[in-house]
Amino acid sequence: MGVKGMSSPGQVDSLVTDSKLIEERRGQILRAAVKLFSQQGYYTTTIAQIAREAGVSIGLIYQYFGDKDDILLLSLKLVLETYEHEIPLRLEGVKHPVERLCMAIWAYCAIVDRLREATVLAYRSTNSLRADRRSLIKDEEIRSNRLLEDCLRTCIEGGYMREVNQYLLVYQYVMFCHAWALKNWAFQGKLSPSEYVSEGLKLLVEPFLTAKGKAALSTMRRNTGNFKHDKRPTARAKTK
Amino acid sequence: MGVKGMSSPGQVDSLVTDSKLIEERRGQILRAAVKLFSQQGYYTTTIAQIAREAGVSIGLIYQYFGDKDDILLLSLKLVLETYEHEIPLRLEGVKHPVERLCMAIWAYCAIVDRLREATVLAYRSTNSLRADRRSLIKDEEIRSNRLLEDCLRTCIEGGYMREVNQYLLVYQYVMFCHAWALKNWAFQGKLSPSEYVSEGLKLLVEPFLTAKGKAALSTMRRNTGNFKHDKRPTARAKTK
Amino acid sequence: MGVKGMSSPGQVDSLVTDSKLIEERRGQILRAAVKLFSQQGYYTTTIAQIAREAGVSIGLIYQYFGDKDDILLLSLKLVLETYEHEIPLRLEGVKHPVERLCMAIWAYCAIVDRLREATVLAYRSTNSLRADRRSLIKDEEIRSNRLLEDCLRTCIEGGYMREVNQYLLVYQYVMFCHAWALKNWAFQGKLSPSEYVSEGLKLLVEPFLTAKGKAALSTMRRNTGNFKHDKRPTARAKTK
Amino acid sequence: MGVKGMSSPGQVDSLVTDSKLIEERRGQILRAAVKLFSQQGYYTTTIAQIAREAGVSIGLIYQYFGDKDDILLLSLKLVLETYEHEIPLRLEGVKHPVERLCMAIWAYCAIVDRLREATVLAYRSTNSLRADRRSLIKDEEIRSNRLLEDCLRTCIEGGYMREVNQYLLVYQYVMFCHAWALKNWAFQGKLSPSEYVSEGLKLLVEPFLTAKGKAALSTMRRNTGNFKHDKRPTARAKTK
DNA sequence: AATGAATGAGTGTTCATTCAT
DNA sequence: TATGAATGAACACTCATTCAT
């Protein structure tokens, strides 16, 4: 019985009530879980491993999570919420629509880079969730896509970009960002993260900019010196 | 123990020798495996389920495959080999570089559509393979990417497309095709496969065409009536 | 994988740590294992049977032992260690070299009699161990042989026995003791354990005693009334 | 069904009738079985391995033997029959009772040496037989023991040896011979086979010889030059 | 007579989950 | 709250045995 029967999807309750402790413990356990799930996958990670990594007992885990599936659900939510939280943070103060779009893509890629394994985890393991919970994750993804969607729409509505199939293009943006994690083995050593992004923008943003948009972009570049430089050494991929 | 990189059963004792039968049985079992792995994932599919689905006994599976990992490896290879085989088939007789590129993307998407679940499987389960076998799958993927790469290069070298970061654009094409499977829940009911492709081409091919390339494209369209129509009913996604 | 030479479970995850409990459980399980292995042999004994006999669950066994091979190894060690422990106990306080030798053989036989099935087990199943572990058992056997060797050497060096091929004679003693278990079907009902031993001493000790040794022996007999009597009813085997 | 139900213990019938072929095939399969059982033990040897070693198909084995247990039974019989056949052969023409006894022990050891692994097999695997068949093997062993028993009795009755516990001494002889196989790891490199035997005779025969027996022995030695020399290089074990 | 592909019951082992302390 | 020993259902894999050819 216990937690299982009561928990409605997404509303996973724990047996512990002190809400501060709850958050702390859950975070502690989820960080361990995300790390291990990312490295080894869901099925090959055992509860005992998570307990050890988190520095708690096996039994404790079941006081904060209903079952293993629950841990996965919340692990994936944790990752997706990071996107939703961090992208807006990086957009703060950025006014120009084109700049906002580019910055959003850049920010997305930066987070993907930081959470590379966790991003792969989301692709691998969403289907390991029970069906009802899977859609919760989909909703979460739709929400984070909306961030890019809004930036793109603003650009088009402001006349900075020509009319395109927004819906599809947003997904291209999303796939582009995810690809940095999914196909990292193919890019690693050929492109630095910032090269990846700036080259990507040339393919997925620039071609759709109107004259007005292009003007804005060049002003932007003159002022901001493009993107922050990343440390990683890299061999520039040949354009030709 | 199991035989290292390849597909042979580890159990040396009762190997089946009739090579015609081998192909037949392996195909029979792999088809069942791909289906189940695709639907339920690798770890949640049991050997007993595969056996039942394939209409053979549990023991028989071990006369044609070394272990479960082996079945996964060959399942994934089967899917990837389909790409490598079928794309060239559809390109036969297509001469014009731009047309070849478009056709390659179209063909890739068509196969992804047909093998939608299997394509998702490849994303989910490649990491479930033992490390040494994983790289075999990566090689296979690189080989099928090359098909698109060649089409793209020919377009650029022929002056039909302007110079772009080929390496990145090819991956964008690949992600575009895979996205039809990976994000199908987002496209299903909004775009038919052929709409998906033709809209995609507008985003990922057209912007880079030179005047010469555009001319070719419009000629092509006039002659071929765009792409074959697919049966699936669909609500057209609003571009605006 | 399993830990190499020693006794620890290969499954590192859920190790039991309370050392008192460990001893208790291991003993509990090993007693069951020795009993079943002895009765039915290693391969025909299942883990489930051991669990049932020990009154624990199947899973618990794997928290105290790495694998089935591990259980066998420790079962055999348990038996051999009994020899090493108990023979010296029975020799305590026995001073005269000839008496010590006879007592050692008697004690050895007594233990073999008590652990009859386990002794047979050692013969049957040592070869079922993995090669690296097999030599651990051989070492253990050499150690217990040394007990007899020491007694014999002291007799010879003290002039109680004439010079003989010690090495070979010790093995005759060992085989004699083991034979009580190995060939029990041939002795059962013909000889009681103590008759077996006293008749054996006439064949394997007395003939090599010097005059000095014989004198000692007869004194001994007069004082101690030969060996303790065993309860088992027996039909005296005809010497003639 | 089939062979199983009909075959009474020891009377294992096969489905094939041409008796010459039967003997040939059975021999072929049994030789393979003895080899593999000896090397790897009964349970770890598979029917498929026996088939491959014998150069026949799996199915064929079941036309000559009822089941795996059957193969073991006949394998063990084959080994024991070798004893019964070969010892008398080597005694032919040997007249003197003491010489006959020594020769019998020597012959027994020589066969054990040749069938070392098979002898160990008999110890390990007799208990793997079904109970009813086990006693068949015991009978066989009793029969071969009788050979030594007869030699010993004749010595005693002829006044060449003093009265001893015949029954026990015969078993000591048997154990001595078997020990060459069972404890070979302890003797190998320390004693050659003939040294083993001649040293053994000093411990197990000479002490019981009467003056008449000793005289006979010394005559014998003068004439025959002790035993045949064996090729194996050996480090003589120190008597002292 | 001979084959070897096919079977499936049976085994060792794992691991999510529980619960007494 | 927190622990971790205990459970046992579930799974991958093996191999003696059968039987169509």
Side-chain angles (χ1 to χ4, degrees):
Chain A
M1 310 295 109
V3 176
K4 196 88 128 292
M6 295 182 289
S7 68
S8 54
Q11 291 272 47
V12 186
D13 24 42
S14 70
L15 293 175
V16 183
T17 46
D18 177 346
S19 66
K20 198 154 160 196
L21 188 56
I22 290 183
E23 277 328 298
E24 198 179 302
R25 287 290 194 213
R26 284 207 171 170
Q28 184 182 7
I29 294 167
L30 281 180
R31 275 190 301 280
V34 168
K35 180 177 172 185
L36 292 170
F37 286 162
S38 297
Q39 285 169 0
Q40 326 174 355
Y42 175 67
Y43 286 104
T44 43
T45 298
T46 67
I47 296 289
Q49 285 173 338
I50 296 173
R52 192 162 354 102
E53 176 74 30
V56 299
S57 69
I58 291 174
L60 196 71
I61 290 182
Y62 284 88
Q63 291 190 313
Y64 291 95
F65 300 90
D67 58 12
K68 199 186 173 190
D69 193 76
D70 217 22
I71 303 176
L72 177 59
L73 173 67
L74 292 172
S75 294
L76 294 175
K77 277 183 88 170
L78 187 68
V79 174
L80 295 179
E81 279 167 10
T82 308
Y83 294 150
E84 285 182 81
H85 277 62
E86 296 204 4
I87 296 179
L89 277 181
R90 307 229 195 175
L91 288 181
E92 267 174 20
V94 181
K95 290 285 164 15
H96 193 289
V98 175
E99 199 179 352
R100 281 183 69 85
L101 176 61
C102 294
M103 183 59 89
I105 293 172
W106 194 86
Y108 206 148
C109 285
I111 301 165
V112 165
D113 187 47
R114 183 156 57 79
L115 306 180
R116 210 174 326 146
E117 292 188 314
T119 302
V120 177
L121 172 66
Y123 271 80
R124 291 173 63 186
S125 302
T126 300
N127 286 299
S128 300
L129 285 172
R130 294 203 312 261
D132 55 334
R133 301 179 153 193
R134 215 175 303 161
S135 63
L136 284 172
I137 291 301
K138 303 241 156 110
D139 293 347
E140 206 86 39
E141 186 180 319
I142 287 171
R143 250 198 309 286
S144 68
N145 289 354
R146 192 119 52 212
L147 295 171
L148 288 172
E149 220 176 315
D150 292 345
C151 291
L152 179 58
R153 192 179 45 252
T154 312
C155 282
I156 294 174
E157 288 173 350
Y160 299 96
M161 276 178 105
R162 61 176 169 88
E163 303 248 321
V164 290
N165 189 328
Q166 274 179 48
Y167 191 77
L168 217 52
L169 190 52
V170 164
Y171 270 98
Q172 280 308 301
Y173 292 160
V174 172
M175 293 309 289
F176 172 76
C177 298
H178 289 171
W180 178 250
L182 292 173
K183 306 292 181 192
N184 196 267
W185 53 272
F187 299 133
Q188 197 62 271
K190 289 195 168 154
L191 290 165
S192 72
S194 71
E195 282 167 344
Y196 180 76
V197 177
S198 58
E199 289 294 314
L201 295 178
K202 286 187 202 155
L203 298 178
L204 297 172
V205 175
E206 275 193 46
F208 309 110
L209 292 177
T210 56
K212 184 180 167 192
K214 274 177 192 144
L217 188 63
S218 56
T219 317
M220 238 167 64
R221 279 202 182 127
R222 229 177 300 121
N223 296 341
T224 62
N226 209 358
F227 291 102
K228 255 178 262 168
H229 290 302
D230 39 332
K231 319 97 232 180
R232 241 171 302 184
T234 154
R236 177 169 271 271
K238 57 221 164 273
T239 303
K240 177 85 179 261
Chain B
M1 290 293 101
V3 178
K4 200 64 147 301
M6 266 298 88
S7 50
S8 357
Q11 179 189 12
V12 188
D13 265 0
S14 43
L15 255 184
V16 178
T17 47
D18 179 343
S19 68
K20 197 157 163 195
L21 187 57
I22 288 183
E23 276 329 297
E24 196 179 307
R25 287 287 190 222
R26 286 207 171 164
Q28 183 183 7
I29 294 166
L30 280 182
R31 275 190 301 278
V34 169
K35 180 176 173 186
L36 291 170
F37 286 161
S38 296
Q39 285 169 1
Q40 326 174 354
Y42 176 68
Y43 286 105
T44 41
T45 299
T46 68
I47 296 289
Q49 285 174 333
I50 297 173
R52 203 174 322 118
E53 177 73 31
V56 299
S57 68
I58 290 174
L60 196 71
I61 291 183
Y62 288 90
Q63 290 191 323
Y64 293 93
F65 299 91
D67 57 13
K68 202 184 170 190
D69 193 77
D70 216 23
I71 302 177
L72 177 58
L73 173 68
L74 291 172
S75 294
L76 295 175
K77 277 184 87 171
L78 186 67
V79 174
L80 296 181
E81 279 167 9
T82 308
Y83 294 150
E84 285 182 82
H85 277 65
E86 296 203 4
I87 296 179
L89 278 179
R90 308 227 193 178
L91 289 181
E92 267 173 21
V94 182
K95 290 284 163 19
H96 194 288
V98 174
E99 199 178 351
R100 283 180 68 85
L101 176 61
C102 294
M103 183 60 88
I105 292 172
W106 194 86
Y108 205 148
C109 285
I111 300 164
V112 165
D113 187 47
R114 182 157 57 80
L115 305 179
R116 208 174 330 144
E117 291 188 313
T119 301
V120 178
L121 172 66
Y123 272 81
R124 290 174 63 189
S125 302
T126 301
N127 287 297
S128 300
L129 283 173
R130 293 202 314 259
D132 56 332
R133 301 178 154 195
R134 215 176 303 161
S135 64
L136 283 172
I137 291 301
K138 302 242 155 107
D139 293 348
E140 206 87 39
E141 186 179 320
I142 287 171
R143 249 198 309 286
S144 68
N145 289 354
R146 192 120 52 210
L147 295 171
L148 289 172
E149 219 175 315
D150 292 344
C151 291
L152 180 57
R153 192 179 45 251
T154 311
C155 283
I156 295 174
E157 287 174 351
Y160 298 96
M161 276 178 105
R162 62 177 169 87
E163 304 249 320
V164 290
N165 189 327
Q166 277 180 45
Y167 191 77
L168 217 53
L169 190 52
V170 164
Y171 269 98
Q172 214 47 48
Y173 291 160
V174 171
M175 293 308 290
F176 171 77
C177 299
H178 289 170
W180 178 250
L182 292 173
K183 306 292 181 192
N184 197 267
W185 53 272
F187 300 132
Q188 197 62 271
K190 290 194 168 156
L191 291 164
S192 73
S194 71
E195 282 166 344
Y196 179 77
V197 177
S198 58
E199 290 295 313
L201 295 178
K202 286 187 203 155
L203 298 177
L204 297 172
V205 174
E206 276 194 45
F208 309 109
L209 291 178
T210 57
K212 184 180 166 192
K214 274 177 191 143
L217 189 63
S218 56
T219 316
M220 239 166 64
R221 279 201 181 128
R222 229 177 300 120
N223 297 341
T224 62
N226 208 359
F227 291 103
K228 256 178 260 169
H229 290 301
D230 39 330
K231 316 97 231 178
R232 240 172 303 186
T234 152
R236 179 168 270 271
K238 55 216 165 283
T239 302
K240 176 87 181 258
Chain C
M1 288 293 100
V3 178
K4 199 64 146 303
M6 267 300 86
S7 51
S8 357
Q11 176 190 14
V12 188
D13 265 359
S14 44
L15 254 185
V16 178
T17 46
D18 179 344
S19 68
K20 197 155 161 197
L21 187 57
I22 289 183
E23 277 327 298
E24 195 179 307
R25 286 289 191 221
R26 285 207 171 165
Q28 184 182 5
I29 294 166
L30 280 181
R31 275 190 300 279
V34 168
K35 179 176 173 187
L36 291 170
F37 287 161
S38 296
Q39 284 168 3
Q40 326 174 355
Y42 176 68
Y43 286 105
T44 42
T45 299
T46 68
I47 295 289
Q49 285 174 333
I50 296 174
R52 202 174 324 118
E53 176 75 29
V56 299
S57 68
I58 290 174
L60 195 72
I61 290 182
Y62 286 90
Q63 289 191 325
Y64 293 94
F65 299 92
D67 58 12
K68 201 185 171 191
D69 193 78
D70 217 23
I71 302 177
L72 177 58
L73 173 68
L74 290 172
S75 294
L76 295 176
K77 276 184 88 171
L78 187 68
V79 175
L80 295 180
E81 279 167 9
T82 308
Y83 294 150
E84 285 182 81
H85 278 64
E86 297 204 3
I87 295 179
L89 279 180
R90 307 227 194 177
L91 288 181
E92 268 173 19
V94 181
K95 289 284 163 17
H96 193 289
V98 175
E99 198 178 353
R100 281 181 69 84
L101 176 61
C102 295
M103 183 61 88
I105 292 172
W106 194 87
Y108 205 149
C109 285
I111 301 165
V112 165
D113 186 48
R114 182 156 57 80
L115 306 179
R116 208 174 329 145
E117 291 188 314
T119 301
V120 177
L121 172 66
Y123 271 81
R124 291 174 62 189
S125 301
T126 300
N127 287 298
S128 300
L129 284 172
R130 295 202 313 260
D132 55 331
R133 300 178 155 196
R134 215 175 304 160
S135 64
L136 283 173
I137 292 302
K138 302 240 158 107
D139 293 348
E140 206 86 40
E141 187 181 320
I142 287 171
R143 249 198 308 288
S144 67
N145 288 354
R146 191 120 50 211
L147 296 171
L148 289 172
E149 219 175 316
D150 292 342
C151 292
L152 178 58
R153 191 179 45 251
T154 310
C155 285
I156 295 175
E157 287 173 350
Y160 299 96
M161 276 177 105
R162 61 177 168 87
E163 303 249 319
V164 290
N165 189 327
Q166 276 180 47
Y167 190 77
L168 216 55
L169 189 53
V170 164
Y171 270 97
Q172 280 309 300
Y173 292 161
V174 171
M175 293 308 290
F176 172 76
C177 298
H178 290 169
W180 178 250
L182 292 172
K183 305 294 181 190
N184 197 267
W185 53 271
F187 300 133
Q188 197 63 270
K190 289 194 170 158
L191 290 164
S192 72
S194 71
E195 283 167 342
Y196 180 76
V197 177
S198 58
E199 290 295 312
L201 295 179
K202 285 186 202 156
L203 297 178
L204 297 171
V205 175
E206 275 193 45
F208 308 110
L209 292 178
T210 56
K212 184 180 167 193
K214 274 177 192 147
L217 188 64
S218 56
T219 316
M220 239 166 66
R221 281 202 180 125
R222 228 175 302 117
N223 296 341
T224 63
N226 208 357
F227 291 103
K228 256 178 261 169
H229 289 302
D230 40 331
K231 319 96 230 181
R232 238 171 304 183
T234 153
R236 179 168 269 272
K238 55 213 167 289
T239 302
K240 175 80 181 267
Chain D
M1 303 283 107
V3 175
K4 196 86 131 293
M6 293 183 289
S7 67
S8 54
Q11 290 273 47
V12 185
D13 25 42
S14 71
L15 294 174
V16 183
T17 46
D18 177 344
S19 65
K20 198 154 159 196
L21 187 55
I22 290 183
E23 278 329 296
E24 198 179 302
R25 287 290 195 213
R26 285 206 169 170
Q28 185 182 5
I29 294 166
L30 282 181
R31 275 190 301 278
V34 169
K35 180 177 172 185
L36 291 170
F37 287 161
S38 297
Q39 285 169 0
Q40 326 174 354
Y42 175 67
Y43 285 104
T44 43
T45 298
T46 67
I47 296 288
Q49 285 174 336
I50 296 173
R52 191 160 357 99
E53 176 74 30
V56 301
S57 69
I58 291 174
L60 196 70
I61 289 183
Y62 284 87
Q63 291 190 314
Y64 291 95
F65 299 91
D67 58 12
K68 200 186 172 190
D69 193 77
D70 217 22
I71 303 177
L72 177 58
L73 173 68
L74 292 171
S75 294
L76 294 175
K77 276 184 89 170
L78 187 66
V79 174
L80 295 180
E81 279 167 11
T82 307
Y83 294 149
E84 286 182 80
H85 277 62
E86 297 203 4
I87 295 178
L89 278 180
R90 307 227 193 178
L91 288 181
E92 268 173 20
V94 181
K95 291 282 162 17
H96 193 289
V98 175
E99 199 179 353
R100 282 181 69 84
L101 175 61
C102 294
M103 183 61 88
I105 292 173
W106 194 87
Y108 205 149
C109 285
I111 301 165
V112 165
D113 187 48
R114 183 156 58 79
L115 306 179
R116 208 173 328 145
E117 291 188 313
T119 301
V120 177
L121 172 66
Y123 271 80
R124 290 173 64 187
S125 302
T126 300
N127 286 298
S128 300
L129 285 172
R130 295 203 312 261
D132 56 334
R133 300 177 154 197
R134 213 175 306 161
S135 63
L136 282 172
I137 291 302
K138 302 243 158 106
D139 293 348
E140 205 86 41
E141 187 180 318
I142 288 170
R143 247 195 315 284
S144 67
N145 289 354
R146 192 120 52 211
L147 295 172
L148 288 172
E149 220 175 316
D150 291 344
C151 291
L152 179 59
R153 192 179 45 253
T154 311
C155 282
I156 295 174
E157 289 173 349
Y160 298 97
M161 276 178 104
R162 61 179 169 87
E163 302 249 321
V164 291
N165 189 327
Q166 275 180 46
Y167 190 76
L168 216 54
L169 189 53
V170 164
Y171 269 98
Q172 212 49 44
Y173 292 160
V174 171
M175 293 308 290
F176 171 76
C177 298
H178 290 170
W180 178 250
L182 292 172
K183 305 291 180 192
N184 197 267
W185 52 272
F187 299 133
Q188 197 63 270
K190 288 195 169 155
L191 291 165
S192 71
S194 71
E195 281 167 344
Y196 179 76
V197 177
S198 58
E199 289 295 313
L201 295 179
K202 284 186 203 157
L203 298 178
L204 298 172
V205 175
E206 275 194 46
F208 309 110
L209 291 178
T210 56
K212 185 180 165 192
K214 273 178 192 145
L217 187 64
S218 56
T219 316
M220 238 166 66
R221 280 204 181 124
R222 229 176 302 118
N223 297 341
T224 63
N226 207 357
F227 290 103
K228 256 179 262 169
H229 290 301
D230 39 331
K231 319 97 229 179
R232 240 172 303 184
T234 153
R236 179 170 268 273
K238 55 216 165 281
T239 302
K240 176 86 181 261

